[in-house]
Amino acid sequence: HVQLVESGGGSVQAGGSLRLSCTASGALNSGNFMGWFRQAPGKGREPVAAAAIGGGQVLVADSVKGRFTVSQDYRKTIYLQMNALQPEDSATYNCAAQKSTLWLGWSLDRWKYWGQGTQVTVS
């Protein structure tokens, strides 16, 4: 069983920055992917970024490329550094994990484990 716990959400003015963290506990191994998705009110869940635990492949969605970066460390923690935030970035940000060392894509049904989410509000 895998549990994901997010932290770091909050409110910020446009142009500001936030850093989200997600720590996994349980049976995730080096090479498995952890990622971030977001969902704004009335909209579908969209991918943001992902990284392989222990280093390696990193993916960032085109919609946030150049402003958001993703990183991870050996403690099964993934970070999302969000810069130049805009009101359209306001959403609930969820951490997710794939128990695979092969990239399975962004399709939601490929992500078996999900965190509770953390709110980001940009005004």
Side-chain angles (χ1 to χ4, degrees):
H1 183 63
V2 174
Q3 288 187 316
L4 304 173
V5 179
E6 302 107 331
S7 63
S11 297
V12 65
Q13 291 187 334
S17 298
L18 283 174
R19 189 191 195 207
L20 306 183
S21 301
C22 173
T23 298
S25 59
L28 278 184
N29 302 310
S30 180
N32 291 162
F33 285 88
M34 294 177 68
W36 291 98
F37 291 77
R38 67 184 182 183
Q39 186 168 19
K43 296 187 177 181
R45 185 169 284 177
E46 65 169 341
V48 178
I53 296 170
Q57 195 169 3
V58 171
L59 303 99
V60 179
D62 289 342
S63 59
V64 300
K65 198 168 289 184
R67 298 188 298 123
F68 291 12
T69 58
V70 63
S71 60
Q72 54 75 46
D73 66 26
Y74 67 93
R75 295 170 294 182
K76 299 181 186 177
T77 298
I78 186 173
Y79 305 94
L80 183 67
Q81 178 67 43
M82 305 184 293
N83 298 326
L85 283 161
Q86 299 301 315
E88 53 266 35
D89 295 314
S90 296
T92 298
Y93 284 71
N94 288 92
C95 179
Q98 291 180 344
K99 202 166 162 50
S100 170
T101 55
L102 296 176
W103 175 244
L104 298 179
W106 292 115
S107 180
L108 298 181
D109 61 359
R110 298 292 191 173
W111 296 82
K112 185 175 181 180
Y113 306 103
W114 291 85
Q116 292 297 310
T118 185
Q119 182 67 37
V120 171
T121 302
V122 186
S123 59

